[in-house]
Amino acid sequence: MTVKSQDRTSAKRHARNPNRLRPASSLVLGILFVAAALRAPFTSVGPLLGLIRDDLGLSNTLAGFITTLPLLAFALLSPFAPQLARRFGLANVLLLAMLTLAAGILLRSAAGAVAFFTGTALIGLAIAVCNVLLPGLIKGRFPARIGLMTGMYTVSMNLCAAAASGFSVPLAGRAGLGWRGTLSLWFIIALLAVLFWLPQMKGFVQNSGAKATKSSINVWRSPLAWQVTLFMGLQSLLYYVLISWFSVILGERGLSAGHAGWILSLMQLAQLPFTFFVPLLAGRMKNQRSLVLITSILFFIGILGIWLGSTAWMALWAVCIGIAGGFAFGLAMMFFSLRTRTAQEASELSGMAQSVGYLLAAMGPALFGLLHDATDSWNIPLVLLAAAAVLLCAAGLGAGRDRQVGGLSNK
């Protein structure tokens, strides 16, 4: 049976069972609030990185490690998230992850450097679980609406991310919260995610049915899975390097911290419509190679503009990168579903891609800071980012083929 016929059959089963349709809106809200908490704890750090670095007495390399540490947590835990969900239940694991996220946010702002990095690690572990399990959850619970649901949760994620970047500096400065108070505010989003997820617990227990079984396909041996993984890793590397250092680069070019923060926010706001529409479009296309080409070209133009362009045009380069990021993230999330046959395979591909991919991405922010410290210039780091955009194109052209990890055409 093909993927589309499986999805139609699953959709009919949902339609015939009114008990499954009733909680659908509640489940959608639960997913959206979980997604809203998955990026803001990171994007709120970038505009405040200089304040954090100076207050905690960190070097640029250690400051880059603020972003690298949670990415390492992503890499370590991501392969095990599907196994945790099979053993303890997906709803239970997601709830525990959100509670851990809330605790990590509070700990990060509590005291000195040790508490800061410990809280950051907890945040990374919690987000890793949610990142891996959400694509499989959507494929399993919304088989006929994968593109729509993927678009909705990525918009929720990026909308909060953009707000976190834009409001961090005003909240820390004009509102007098400081960087500690500003970062701790995102505990509220994590708490709301917990409260909106709690009603899902009973529904998941009642509708769990048979336990998910391990896929017969080993995604680690699939060349296509490795192309999806490389695409995921490179787009993550580009995103997290720019989130960490873009404001610092703009500051050294003469822009105020507030102005730099809003340009970073503009970059993320530019993502929003594309994180919604790209999954919808990708789900309707035979292959996604044309979308990959657009993504890579926009990344390359934006990075080149930051390197060689005037500060007067920084908003334009930020928009180019933002649109590219929206394309890239939407495609990466859709590849987990489009390149697999079942929800379990989607979770396993997601776990593999986010483990290896985030391990690759984890090298980016610290290496970027190290190269700047060594050369006292942003030239070499930006050249390497432009090269990453070219590699992203090569990996994406392979990942965008009309194939599945089992070697079948997705028809």
Side-chain angles (χ1 to χ4, degrees):
M1 185 181 291
T2 65
V3 172
K4 289 184 178 179
S5 62
Q6 284 178 328
D7 288 350
R8 284 195 295 267
T9 301
S10 180
K12 288 178 182 177
R13 285 200 303 268
H14 282 240
R16 288 196 299 264
N17 189 344
N19 290 327
R20 299 190 70 128
L21 286 175
R22 265 196 293 269
S25 59
S26 176
L27 179 57
V28 169
L29 284 175
I31 290 172
L32 294 182
F33 272 91
V34 170
L38 297 187
R39 276 202 175 181
F42 288 125
T43 59
S44 57
V45 171
L48 303 174
L49 191 59
L51 290 175
I52 297 169
R53 177 190 59 195
D54 295 342
D55 188 36
L56 297 179
L58 306 176
S59 66
N60 278 331
T61 302
L62 277 177
F65 194 66
I66 291 172
T67 303
T68 300
L69 181 59
L71 295 179
L72 289 174
F74 289 179
L76 291 173
L77 189 57
S78 291
F80 304 105
Q83 299 174 32
L84 292 172
R86 284 199 304 270
R87 182 170 181 180
F88 301 107
L90 185 145
N92 295 328
V93 173
L94 282 174
L95 179 62
L96 179 60
M98 297 314 300
L99 290 170
T100 303
L101 176 63
I105 291 172
L106 290 181
L107 180 60
R108 182 173 64 174
S109 302
V114 174
F116 185 93
F117 282 107
T118 302
T120 300
L122 289 175
I123 290 170
L125 291 171
I127 293 177
V129 171
C130 299
N131 279 341
V132 170
L133 296 182
L134 280 179
L137 169 64
I138 287 173
K139 187 174 179 69
R141 290 302 180 105
F142 301 93
R145 296 288 185 270
I146 292 174
L148 176 62
M149 284 302 302
T150 301
M152 288 174 65
Y153 95 77
T154 53
V155 166
S156 177
M157 190 183 302
N158 287 301
L159 183 60
C160 277
S165 294
F167 287 107
S168 286
V169 171
L171 287 172
R174 273 174 274 172
L177 295 179
W179 68 263
R180 296 179 189 276
T182 301
L183 294 186
S184 64
L185 282 178
W186 301 107
F187 168 80
I188 298 172
I189 298 294
L191 181 61
L192 286 173
V194 170
L195 294 177
F196 274 89
W197 190 251
L198 282 173
Q200 312 310 319
M201 305 299 290
K202 184 177 179 181
F204 269 75
V205 171
Q206 289 177 339
N207 296 322
S208 59
K211 284 189 175 181
T213 57
K214 190 173 182 178
S215 171
S216 60
I217 295 173
N218 187 342
V219 294
W220 294 87
R221 295 181 179 179
S222 167
L224 178 57
W226 280 104
Q227 289 168 332
V228 172
T229 296
L230 187 58
F231 183 86
M232 178 69 194
L234 288 169
Q235 70 88 23
S236 297
L237 183 146
L238 288 163
Y239 176 82
Y240 285 107
V241 164
L242 290 165
I243 284 296
S244 298
W245 292 109
F246 193 24
S247 295
V248 178
I249 293 173
L250 295 180
E252 293 189 11
R253 297 279 177 88
L255 275 67
S256 68
H259 191 183
W262 280 111
I263 288 182
L264 183 62
S265 182
L266 177 65
M267 182 179 80
Q268 293 172 87
L269 286 171
Q271 293 184 16
L272 292 179
F274 299 96
T275 55
F276 180 75
F277 289 112
V278 167
L280 287 174
L281 183 60
R284 297 175 181 177
M285 298 175 71
K286 184 177 180 181
N287 69 70
Q288 295 74 38
R289 289 182 161 191
S290 59
L291 299 180
V292 169
L293 284 173
I294 294 171
T295 301
S296 302
I297 290 170
L298 286 172
F299 263 132
F300 192 82
I301 291 173
I303 293 167
L304 204 65
I306 294 173
W307 180 26
L308 301 174
S310 166
T311 55
W313 292 90
M314 283 298 174
L316 176 61
W317 313 134
V319 169
C320 286
I321 291 171
I323 295 172
F327 269 74
F329 188 73
L331 283 171
M333 295 299 102
M334 282 299 290
F335 284 156
F336 301 149
S337 295
L338 294 175
R339 302 286 88 93
T340 55
R341 297 172 301 169
T342 68
Q344 183 60 33
E345 286 180 6
S347 291
E348 291 183 5
L349 178 58
S350 176
M352 170 188 172
Q354 297 196 57
S355 173
V356 179
Y358 282 126
L359 185 61
L360 174 63
M363 298 185 294
L367 178 62
F368 208 73
L370 180 63
L371 288 173
H372 176 263
D373 285 347
T375 63
D376 197 29
S377 169
W378 295 111
N379 290 338
I380 292 178
L382 288 171
V383 168
L384 291 178
L385 276 192
V390 176
L391 291 176
L392 180 76
C393 183
L397 290 176
R401 293 177 299 163
D402 183 28
R403 291 291 184 271
Q404 295 175 296
V405 294
L408 300 175
S409 175
N410 189 22
K411 294 180 181 178

